[in-house]
Amino acid sequence: MRFLSKLLSRFNTLREFQCLNGKLHDNNMEVIIQSLEGHSSLAKIDLGGNRVEGRALAALVGLMNNPNSPLMELSLWDCSIDDERARILAAALAINKTLRKLHLGENKNITITGWRAIFTQLQSPQSSLDGLDLWKNYNIDIAVANLLANALANGTSLKALNLGASYEITTEGWRAVFEGLSSPHCMLQELLLCSNWFGDEEVTHLSNALTSNCVLSELDLSSNSEVTSSGWRAFSAALQNPNSALISVSLRGNSIYDDALTSFANSLVHNNKLKELYLADNNISSENVTITNWDALSNVLCNKSSINTTFNSNHTLQRIIDPKYSDESRLPSDLQTLLQLNRENTKSEAARRKILKVHFSGTFNMQPFIDMDLNALPHAIAWMARNEYGSSLTYTFVRNTTLFVGIGGEVRSEGEPVPKRQKTRRWNVCSIM
């Protein structure tokens, strides 16, 4: 460690330092941390899996309190942090103005006393911390949950919070946390709740909170397999909130069956925010989701009933499988195509391409244009011919413009003469184009 410290002292341009799972003791960590003080570009320190106790913590606080420190992310997971060290860390957070993310997962010796110090500091107007990772802290119980709920409800600097694997929080504790989430003062944009053994009741409380939340954009509920279709149906109602800011929702590793998938499809009919709804995982297969229910989702993305319903379909949803873990090859091909169309195009262009594909492919049908309002017709033609994708359709349209003869007046049989003063409504296609 002293040799490493000497090496670190020979330059000052380090941007990130990681020393993971070394089980290093306090004095060794002190030497390492002291050698990092001269690095003026050091934005991230990860000491996870080592012992950061009295001397090491004092060195770390000294680095944090340095007004020239650029430190933005500090990871202290499983670092033997207890209540006293949590209070010292909270005091350092009050001085530091650069730290944005703090990871305190798996520090099982922090009790309500230490968490109170951390959460109190989060509510300070001077706090710069916007990300807090509390993954797998078994001692976060209902009392700590109530503290956190109060902090969220009263306004904190937090924008991202990880409460994954918080097994000791009861249903009532989660209800309190979710009530904090529904507060207009809550600024959370990202919430991770994976692997919490949630049941239908917890998910229902969360859904109720989300109906009044207009800030949260990313939610992770993966690996909560105890939730049944009843709970997922309740959750789908939250996706119908017109003020919802949710862009990404992960439900990987859960039991998603036919009726739940249909509920999600129905909730997305008028949702124009959600881009990622990760439903599919290894448990999604032909055994529990039939082609009929995939069709329900396809119909939301492209309702083929009419041009108008296709235009008003969902052109926002882009993924239902997380590309980090799998691909879309197990989905029906038409659903894959529709998701790809939404990913690769703006909403208006996706709508246009779906309309061309559904209503004007194969045998050409002029009826939609014939039935169209005359004021809207020139715009529809220009919209159709915007680029090469509609060029063949435009050509076919031009060849069939004789069908417009007589629109709005009496249609005459072939060869029947038109009275001299009767006006016929022929379109000058060249002028429209």
Side-chain angles (χ1 to χ4, degrees):
M1 289 300 103
R2 294 189 181 278
F3 177 71
L4 176 59
S5 175
K6 289 181 180 179
L7 290 178
L8 291 171
S9 300
R10 291 181 181 177
F11 66 103
N12 61 1
T13 57
L14 197 66
R15 296 183 180 181
E16 180 177 334
F17 179 79
Q18 292 185 341
C19 181
L20 309 180
N21 291 313
K23 303 299 179 184
L24 300 180
H25 290 287
D26 194 41
N27 55 340
N28 285 329
M29 290 306 306
E30 178 191 28
V31 171
I32 292 296
I33 294 170
Q34 287 175 341
S35 66
L36 297 174
E37 289 188 10
H39 291 265
S40 58
S41 300
L42 187 62
K44 178 178 179 180
I45 297 178
D46 190 344
L47 303 177
N50 298 290
R51 298 182 69 84
V52 178
E53 299 176 309
R55 295 170 61 179
L57 185 60
L60 185 59
V61 168
L63 189 152
M64 293 174 62
N65 291 347
N66 184 339
N68 297 319
S69 171
L71 188 63
M72 297 182 66
E73 184 171 352
L74 176 61
S75 183
L76 298 174
W77 54 268
D78 192 18
C79 281
S80 304
I81 306 295
D82 58 15
D83 285 342
E84 179 60 29
R85 291 160 201 151
R87 287 198 297 266
I88 294 172
L89 195 57
L93 292 174
I95 298 173
N96 183 281
K97 302 302 179 186
T98 62
L99 196 68
R100 295 289 183 269
K101 293 180 174 26
L102 177 62
H103 303 266
L104 288 175
E106 300 185 70
N107 282 290
K108 304 175 181 62
N109 295 323
I110 306 179
T111 70
I112 188 170
T113 303
W115 292 123
R116 180 181 287 110
I118 297 290
F119 297 157
T120 299
Q121 177 53 39
L122 289 176
Q123 297 177 69
S124 168
Q126 285 75 42
S127 176
S128 61
L129 199 67
D130 58 25
L132 182 61
D133 186 344
L134 304 180
W135 164 265
K136 213 172 188 177
N137 274 305
Y138 299 133
N139 56 354
I140 295 184
D141 54 16
I142 185 171
V144 177
N146 283 321
L147 277 179
L148 179 59
N150 289 333
L152 294 176
N154 293 324
T156 71
S157 58
L158 280 185
K159 294 182 180 178
L161 176 63
N162 185 352
L163 286 174
S166 297
Y167 305 128
E168 296 300 315
I169 301 181
T170 64
T171 299
E172 288 305 308
W174 284 118
R175 183 174 184 173
V177 171
F178 298 149
E179 286 178 354
L181 181 66
S182 66
S183 167
H185 302 293
C186 181
M187 293 293 104
L188 273 186
Q189 297 176 8
E190 178 183 344
L191 179 60
L192 278 64
L193 299 171
C194 51
S195 304
N196 271 314
W197 297 343
F198 280 172
D200 292 344
E201 192 172 358
E202 288 85 356
V203 169
T204 300
H205 290 321
L206 173 61
S207 303
N208 292 337
L210 290 175
T211 57
S212 58
N213 182 288
C214 58
V215 178
L216 193 71
S217 60
E218 183 174 343
L219 177 64
D220 189 343
L221 281 170
S222 57
S223 301
N224 285 291
S225 56
E226 297 299 312
V227 183
T228 70
S229 293
S230 177
W232 294 129
R233 284 196 299 270
F235 178 76
S236 66
L239 301 180
Q240 300 181 44
N241 173 17
N243 297 318
S244 172
L246 283 171
I247 295 175
S248 177
V249 174
S250 178
L251 304 179
R252 295 184 307 102
N254 293 307
S255 300
I256 307 295
Y257 295 92
D258 275 349
D259 50 353
L261 184 59
T262 301
S263 295
F264 287 127
N266 292 337
S267 69
L268 293 174
V269 171
H270 300 296
N271 186 306
N272 61 1
K273 297 282 183 63
L274 195 68
K275 295 182 178 180
E276 300 167 348
L277 179 62
Y278 295 139
L279 299 172
D281 209 335
N282 292 332
N283 62 334
I284 291 283
S285 66
S286 58
E287 297 177 0
N288 52 9
V289 176
T290 64
I291 192 66
T292 300
N293 287 276
W294 286 129
D295 284 347
L297 188 55
S298 296
N299 189 57
V300 170
L301 299 180
C302 184
N303 188 322
K304 302 176 182 179
S305 301
S306 67
I307 291 179
N308 189 54
T309 58
T310 303
F311 180 79
N312 290 317
S313 296
N314 184 308
H315 311 300
T316 306
L317 187 67
Q318 299 178 0
R319 295 188 184 277
I320 59 174
I321 291 182
D322 192 334
K324 294 182 293 186
Y325 300 96
S326 187
D327 56 44
E328 296 178 347
S329 60
R330 290 178 291 120
L331 296 175
S333 58
D334 62 327
L335 183 55
Q336 294 180 46
T337 300
L338 292 171
L339 291 169
Q340 185 176 1
L341 272 175
N342 285 1
R343 280 198 299 272
E344 296 179 353
N345 299 281
T346 63
K347 293 179 184 179
S348 59
E349 180 61 15
R352 174 178 176 268
R353 295 190 177 219
K354 291 175 188 178
I355 289 173
L356 294 179
K357 179 178 177 62
V358 171
H359 298 283
F360 298 108
S361 61
T363 304
F364 185 81
N365 181 14
M366 284 291 289
Q367 195 62 45
F369 291 103
I370 295 174
D371 295 338
M372 196 172 292
D373 183 89
L374 296 182
N375 292 325
L377 182 60
H379 300 288
I381 298 170
W383 174 78
M384 171 182 66
R386 186 185 303 160
N387 58 28
E388 68 280 0
Y389 191 82
S391 57
S392 60
L393 174 60
T394 308
Y395 172 74
T396 307
F397 172 84
V398 172
R399 294 192 62 185
N400 285 271
T401 52
T402 55
L403 294 174
F404 284 101
V405 175
I407 292 179
E410 182 182 358
V411 179
R412 298 180 175 273
S413 303
E414 184 176 357
E416 183 178 352
V418 178
K420 292 182 179 181
R421 294 187 179 182
Q422 180 176 333
K423 295 182 179 179
T424 59
R425 303 184 70 177
R426 294 180 180 272
W427 287 93
N428 186 334
V429 177
C430 293
S431 66
I432 293 175
M433 301 300 289

